[in-house]
Amino acid sequence: MISASLGYTIISGDMQKSLERVASQTTVKREAQYYEDNINKVKTVDDFLGDYKLYSYAMKAYGLQDMTYAKAFMKKVLESDLTDASSFANKLSDSRYKEFAAAFNFGTTATDAQSDSQETDMIGLYTQSFADEGTNAAKESTYYSAAIDKVQSVSGLTSNERLRTYVLSAFGIDPTYASKDFLAKVLTSDVNDPSSFVNTSGNAKYKALAAQFSFNADGTVNGTAQTAAQKNAVMEQYNITVPSIVTTKAAEYNRAYFDANISSITNVDQLISDKRLTSYIKAAYGAAADFSDAALKKVLTDSSYASLLGYDTMYAAFNFNSDGTVDTTKAGYAAQTSAQISATTTAANNMSGAYPTKIAGIKTVDQLIADPQLTSFIKDAYGMPQTLSNADLKSVLTDSTYAGMLGFQGVYDAFDFQADGSVTSAGAQSASEIRKVGYSADDNLNYYRGKISTLSNVDELIADTRLTSFLKSSYSLPSNMSDADLKSILTDSSFAAASGFSNVNAAFSFAADGSAGAMSGPQSSQQTTSVDALYAVNYDNAQQAEIDSAVANYKTRMADDKVTNVNDFLRTNLTSDTDRSNDKLPDLYQMALRAYGLTEQDVPRSMMRTLLQSDPYDPKGYVASLKDERITNMMRAFNFGTDGKATSEVQAISTAVLAKYGTSYASLATLGMSTGPLRDKAAKDATADVDDFAKKIVTVKSLDDFLADSKLTDFVLKANGLEPKDYDKATLKKIFTSDPTDANSYLNKTAPTKFKDIVADFNFDTEGNLTRSKIGAIQNVGAEERTQQGYLQMTLETQQGETNDGVRLALYFARKAPSITSIYSLIGDQALFQVISTAFSLPSSMSNMDVDKQATMLKKFVNITDFQDPTKVDKLMRRFTAMYDLQNNTDTSPALTIMSSYASNTAALNRISKR
């Protein structure tokens, strides 16, 4: 019989060839092929347990062949959730059961059409899409405003796809179906000629579009394609029509429209007939979109009815009589029309908007003082007299004592000028102080809008220094302009023109004698301001409520396994349940499209069905063939198989692997440490690391994501007993992108053997992208490979044990060594304990000792951390086989002679020590 020492040396010298010899055996090859062909045809754990060839093969692969009979026990093991510390497999002390459960997808992989993280991401994109609409609309409007001024022929517009799309979309015309030739004929039509092309061939939308351009019949222009008014009208139409919600810009247009038109309303029916005005009022007061015109009319004219519905403030904001006419006695004075107030507001806002940029560029106090617009704005914002001299203002900004003496300490504190007039590294003002200036400016604007309609003559305006300061700031009037000159500008157009301030005169409606006429509209400017303020607060609240309703409905329909297949997902709200309250909300399919910037024209329902049943991770699949990143990302937000049924989410690693890594990491973190505070802290830190890894790894969408986070890579390496500092990012990328089927690849030829399992654990392809190809129905590719490998190893060990049990024991110990993280693991495994006791000639009576005493004794001979080093393990196995040969009188060898001499010397020393 060959010695254990020689047998182990031969086999371990080239383990791969030894395993290949076993794999080539007819019986082994046939059993392996059956397992490969059938394991992922299994549907349930009972199917698996019922197929003895599959079940027994797997049990042997994990060293559990002695438990093959215990099917009920093993079913509980396989159905354990390894992420749950209290699950059945996790509570078993023998780690082989956890390894066995982790090799299959029975207890850890749940089917879910959309995971919680996928749902959160998609809803986030859906919500963000509404905010993006405003940003995109503003971006397109900015482009249009600049580009349309350069258009010198009709072809310049029709051939520019971006401009053409903008104008057609503004008027609700689908750009897909509008030809360039047709559009050119529309734009060159005379809208005032009944027989023109647009009037004979175009619909109302095209007629409205044609009215906003000034092309000649031959397509040329006289100056520009649009007047300023026409351009603004198109931009307004675009911002109101294209976004599905009221954007900030659209809200500004709506407010301007309301302010400009409300004063011309002479009766309630005229107001009700203007849908844009009524929509504005409803939004301002939070009325539902389906609040009827009849109800609105009654609220505006009947205080009792308004009170009954809770709209007292709406009634009070208008001056309609019960018959619908305007009560002119309540309207106030017309120092400015609504349009003029709106224009003044715009001027004030322009100054306020320019301030942050201007002040950011100020480097010295003299630079600020030299800008009259800035000084006027600052004086108005901080309530300083416009007559305050530049010298005094400079002193206020640079001298705390002087500022305090004038009562302007707050102004000094609001700026960061040094005594020499320079600024600190932070600039003249901090961001928070700049915002405060804006708030002050807004307060002054609100004061102005509330006050102006109460003025019956110009003298009342001149007497209010807060109003005059506001006007000087808004219209860049000289701060030292006298009240007499300001009065003349407001009442005398000739004087205003001579002074260069015709725009200020035009902004007011004072008569030559300084009087302001009575307003005839249904609101005073104070009332108009109150409606505007409510609208500013409520319009976005109303649309947010719509978004929230859609999101809540989405979560309800996707929850509790309600979507188990593609048909469930594609059902409308109308057909999915008996709840009628959600019928007008967007369907699941529609919300998914919007979240990823797609429309039903881009992806019809029939196409969506095909997409959902395709693999979005297959580089040669249907989804990839469309070459549309939006569609790819949308499909990766859902989990359906080719059969249309919900499946598991594709993640970087499975939950079983996550659990395996977590257990291994935690064990290795306390490896060799004695019980005490240091070990407790290490265990606590390891638990935190495991939790952190679990949270982060689910967000990984590619190999690059994984490699970019050193905490993730370090965790994986440590969990597999590897030292992170030995592997840089480039090396890891080379390993993960190697072809595991190529014997000459970096993974197979250069990288440590452990990396084969690690690469197999991750669902990355050789390009570093997530792939579903490694995921099996019952067993993933990596786990199947490990099972096949385990079966070969167990078969090799069994066959070697038939001729020499010492070889079997040595091979078994070498295989299990990396997983030994506790001295008690040696005591609890009879085979492992036999190897150690034989290697160190420990007495057989030792097994009768108290377990803790056994552990104490073993620690004198072995260091648990050495089992992570293959070289030290091999050295120990050579010692064991030599001692095994000595104890079992097998053929001698040089190693045996050395070990025999060592054993004799040890025995002699023991005898001497006892004397």
Side-chain angles (χ1 to χ4, degrees), residues 584-595:
K584 292 184 179 181
L585 295 173
D587 298 330
L588 304 182
Y589 152 70
Q590 293 167 330
M591 287 185 67
L593 291 177
R594 183 183 181 93

Side-chain angles (χ1 to χ4, degrees), residues 899-914:
M899 296 308 300
S900 176
S901 175
Y902 173 83
S904 298
N905 292 337
T906 301
L909 288 172
N910 287 338
R911 286 194 297 273
I912 293 171
S913 64
K914 290 179 180 179

Side-chain angles (χ1 to χ4, degrees), residues 547-589:
I547 296 171
D548 291 344
S549 295
V551 168
N553 178 64
Y554 184 89
K555 290 183 175 181
T556 298
R557 284 198 54 192
M558 291 295 293
D560 301 325
D561 297 324
K562 290 182 179 178
V563 175
T564 60
N565 55 58
V566 170
N567 289 334
D568 292 338
F569 179 79
L570 291 176
R571 286 194 179 94
T572 65
N573 293 328
L574 179 65
T575 60
S576 66
D577 53 41
T578 58
D579 181 8
R580 299 282 73 88
S581 65
N582 67 348
D583 290 354
K584 292 184 179 181
L585 295 173
D587 298 330
L588 304 182
Y589 152 70

Side-chain angles (χ1 to χ4, degrees), residues 214-229:
S214 303
F215 289 108
N216 296 317
D218 62 356
T220 61
V221 300
N222 297 323
T224 58
Q226 287 182 305
T227 65

Side-chain angles (χ1 to χ4, degrees), residues 763-833:
N763 296 319
F764 295 133
D765 59 21
T766 54
E767 298 297 319
N769 300 312
L770 282 177
T771 178
R772 196 182 285 277
S773 63
K774 288 187 174 183
I775 302 175
I778 297 302
Q779 194 169 46
N780 296 348
V781 171
E784 183 180 335
E785 290 175 353
R786 277 193 291 276
T787 302
Q788 298 269 20
Q789 187 75 0
Y791 185 84
L792 291 178
Q793 289 175 322
M794 288 300 300
T795 302
L796 172 64
E797 291 169 19
T798 300
Q799 291 178 354
Q800 289 299 315
E802 292 172 356
T803 57
N804 192 316
D805 202 45
V807 179
R808 179 187 70 80
L809 289 169
L811 293 174
Y812 175 75
F813 192 100
R815 175 167 61 85
K816 295 289 289 183
S819 64
I820 300 172
T821 58
S822 167
I823 202 74
Y824 293 99
S825 299
L826 295 174
I827 299 172
D829 188 313
Q830 186 177 353
L832 297 179
F833 183 80

